[in-house]
Amino acid sequence: MRRVLSPIPIAVILGVAALVGLLVYGIASKPEDPSRARDEAFAAPERKAAPALQLPRLSGGGTGSLAQYKGKVVVLNFWASWCEPCRAESPVLERWHRRLSRHGGTVLGVDILDVASDGRAFAREFGLTYPMLRDGSGDSLDDFDIVGYPETAAIDRRGRIVALKRGPVDEAWLRRYVGPLLRERS
């Protein structure tokens, strides 16, 4: 006995095939991600100077800047109190701050587009002792090409960006990119 397909299953099969075709076309023709090009530029052998950064301190009043840490290795971390991956990476950053401070370095946190009191509560909750700045307006997002939270830059003693990590940092990334900077001289 012969089975004849009705028009509805044929239409469904053709629709699925068309969607798969569009998906394949979209992936194949997607232009290069500009943030990926920027990440690769930071990984190039020639290190580029980190943009200037001067912001209010999250606690204690006054302002702080990236320039005041020239001569030190800096792990510059952009975060927000409502960001779950930021919460997960905080203990790792605090451990590295303690390690860095013994070897001429620091972690420098930048709380972006956040309520100041929430940022301070976040720092207290995780026992964070490294310096924190606050960018309530998000002005530094463009300067550092921040596209999400958290993002972290490893900066050498001469103020040049060595590596950029989009997403939470871990021990392996910090060992790979920050560890060698501690052995370099400015």
Side-chain angles (χ1 to χ4, degrees):
M1 178 192 277
R2 232 189 216 191
R3 256 182 106 173
V4 178
L5 289 175
S6 72
I8 293 175
I10 291 172
V12 170
I13 291 169
L14 289 174
V16 169
L19 286 174
V20 169
L22 282 172
L23 178 63
V24 169
Y25 173 77
I27 291 171
S29 65
K30 182 179 176 187
E32 179 159 346
D33 179 4
S35 67
R36 181 176 174 185
R38 174 98 180 218
D39 294 349
E40 290 169 0
F42 285 137
E46 63 193 55
R47 298 174 181 176
K48 299 194 186 301
L53 179 69
Q54 182 166 346
L55 296 165
R57 288 189 179 94
L58 182 60
S59 296
T63 60
S65 71
L66 184 56
Q68 75 188 73
Y69 297 100
K70 196 162 186 176
K72 294 182 179 248
V73 172
V74 177
V75 174
L76 181 62
N77 177 254
F78 294 89
W79 61 277
S81 65
W82 43 262
C83 161
E84 283 304 316
C86 300
R87 300 176 81 73
E89 76 175 357
S90 289
V92 174
L93 288 168
E94 179 60 27
R95 279 193 305 274
W96 271 83
H97 171 65
R98 291 170 195 238
R99 184 177 302 159
L100 287 167
S101 62
R102 292 190 306 263
H103 299 286
T106 191
V107 171
L108 177 61
V110 179
D111 183 22
I112 294 190
L113 296 172
D114 203 357
V115 176
S117 59
D118 291 349
R120 288 189 293 272
F122 178 95
R124 276 192 309 275
E125 178 182 347
F126 290 97
L128 303 178
T129 61
Y130 50 87
M132 300 275 185
L133 304 177
R134 179 173 184 275
D135 184 357
S137 64
D139 291 339
S140 61
L141 290 171
D142 287 339
D143 294 341
F144 284 86
D145 195 30
I146 304 301
V147 295
Y149 304 108
E151 291 196 18
T152 305
I155 301 173
D156 69 12
R157 295 179 194 277
R158 292 175 57 194
R160 301 172 303 174
I161 296 176
V162 173
L164 181 65
K165 172 74 166 124
R166 298 191 188 281
V169 295
D170 57 17
E171 288 286 337
W173 189 86
L174 290 162
R175 274 194 307 272
R176 179 176 180 188
Y177 293 105
V178 179
L181 297 178
L182 295 174
R183 294 185 288 278
E184 290 181 2
R185 293 285 163 226
S186 54

